[in-house]
Amino acid sequence: MGTGAAIPLADKSIPFLGHALPLLRDPLGFMSSLPDHGSLVTMRMGPLSVVMVCDPELARQVLLDDRTYDMGGPVFDRARESVGGGLGTCPHSEHRRQRRLCQPAFHRSRMPAYATVMSSACDAMTTTWQDGQTIDLSAEAAAMALRVNVESMFATALPRVAQDVADDFVALSRSVFWRIIMPPLINRLPTPVNRRYFRARKRLFHTVGQIIAARRQDTTDHGDLLSSLMSAQDPDSEAGSRGLSDREITEQVLTFFFAGAETTAATLAWALYQVSRHPHIEQRLQAEVDEVVGDGPATHDHLPRLPLTERVITETLRLYAPAWLGSRIVAHDTELGGYHLPAGTQMVWSPYLIHRRPDIYKNVDGFDPDRWLHTKAEREAYFPFGAGARKCIADRFALNTAILSLATISARWTLRPVTDEPFKPVVRTLLVPHGLRMRLAPRARVTA
Ligand code: HEM
């Protein structure tokens, strides 16, 4: 193929809205159909043309070269509009400084302290559950993950603030996908959705800004994520910008909430759902946690002895990568997979699309944690946390939360969906199982 060839256009584009309708009605089905057109495929989001990278090797090239494929494009623009220019939403030119300043907060040495927060949040959640109760699993997991985030960040339980932050995040994240795929004109109209969005964003900045201002008055090191961000110094930056300003810290905190709570909660909820539908895996998982964790809660010391629990999470992140759509912008003319890409080309990539390619994964829609015992080739096409310099800074933090929570819950409770119908999520910015209802039964060892 020559570099002058046009990138194929996906089916079902209509004037003005482009592919907004299939993206709203059945985004996952639509995405999964794209590789049939080739390794790169053009989609239209309103008036905007974006190029989807369908091939894992090309996706890797894009993710590893963050100078050529800078953070940008529709997902980035709307995320930046929501949470400001923090680590996840800053361009390449600001990224290295921000990453160096945030990295210490996620250093391996800090993980045991965060794990204590994770264990106690999951312990608290599972001890309020009742025999025979039906729960909205996605909502329970989201409340727990938010608590983990808030307490790791602020070293304290802040019930009122946590509730405000939670409500505003729900409002914000529900609107963001809509804002990504709709034309900008519609996003500016004073519709109820848009008004809710702007109100929630304003309150969030105010709430977090107040916490930071209060912390500036207090010089104690709380050993939390916020202390780490406030004390971080980057010797490679110019004098005057070696630390993070209050505005930058606010944006980082909002980025961590935005990027962290719902993604981790979705992983846990999807994992429990899949386990409940695969009794042979459930039995083996229960045997592992019974031996290692007992009645729980699972702690940081248990982590190396929970290999099946970890594989269940790995496989869940293959089937249901919560951050299922990312975007980039081409910084200067380049070539990819034989196609010419002019500067300014908007790109999107999707771990969901790549993880569901039947030519890469055998039994692609099957839930098989044991596939991760021996596969190397499949790992090369596995990007739930992205890759390269922009790879998720909190991948270990997120995995530990999901593994410890899955182990603690499995040690104490058996969960069953309230219906045999397969659960179909409504997909938005993230792939979250909103409204997944499960019935609880205590494990025999708890009641014994
Ligand atoms: C299972 C849970 C999680 C998943 C699946 C996930 C996924 C991702 C992905 C795919 C990216 C890269 C996006 C791109 O390159 O376009 C990313 C970046 C990021 N994530 Fe996560 N994430 C998770 C949890 C978290 C948590 C718990 C936090 C914070 C507490 C967090 C903070 C971030 C940040 C700050 C970035 C931007 C990194 C950079 O650009 O340097 N994530 N995440």
Side-chain angles (χ1 to χ4, degrees), residues 71 87-88 95 99 106 149 255-256 259-260 263-264 267 317 322-323 326 328 349 384-386 389-394 397-398:
M71 269 299 174
L87 180 62
H95 180 254
R99 182 94 185 189
F106 294 96
N149 258 17
T255 300
F256 294 159
T263 43
T264 312
T267 308
L317 285 167
R328 295 291 188 273
W349 68 282
F385 293 106
R390 311 294 303 232
K391 187 177 180 203
C392 182
I393 196 169
F397 180 98

Side-chain angles (χ1 to χ4, degrees), residues 397-418:
F397 180 98
L399 286 170
N400 287 356
T401 310
I403 295 167
L404 293 178
S405 310
L406 178 60
T408 302
I409 294 170
S410 305
R412 297 174 171 184
W413 294 94
T414 304
L415 280 70
R416 288 285 171 268
V418 290

Side-chain angles (χ1 to χ4, degrees), residues 240-290:
S241 63
R242 291 204 172 121
L244 290 161
S245 67
D246 281 9
R247 173 72 188 191
E248 285 178 319
I249 294 172
T250 306
E251 291 178 344
Q252 302 304 356
V253 166
L254 291 178
T255 300
F256 294 159
F257 278 133
F258 198 71
E262 269 204 289
T263 43
T264 312
T267 308
L268 174 64
W270 283 120
L272 286 161
Y273 172 68
Q274 283 294 348
V275 167
S276 75
R277 291 175 64 90
H278 294 84
H280 58 292
I281 296 173
E282 183 178 62
Q283 268 170 17
R284 289 173 52 210
L285 181 66
Q286 290 178 344
E288 178 172 281
V289 298
D290 286 354

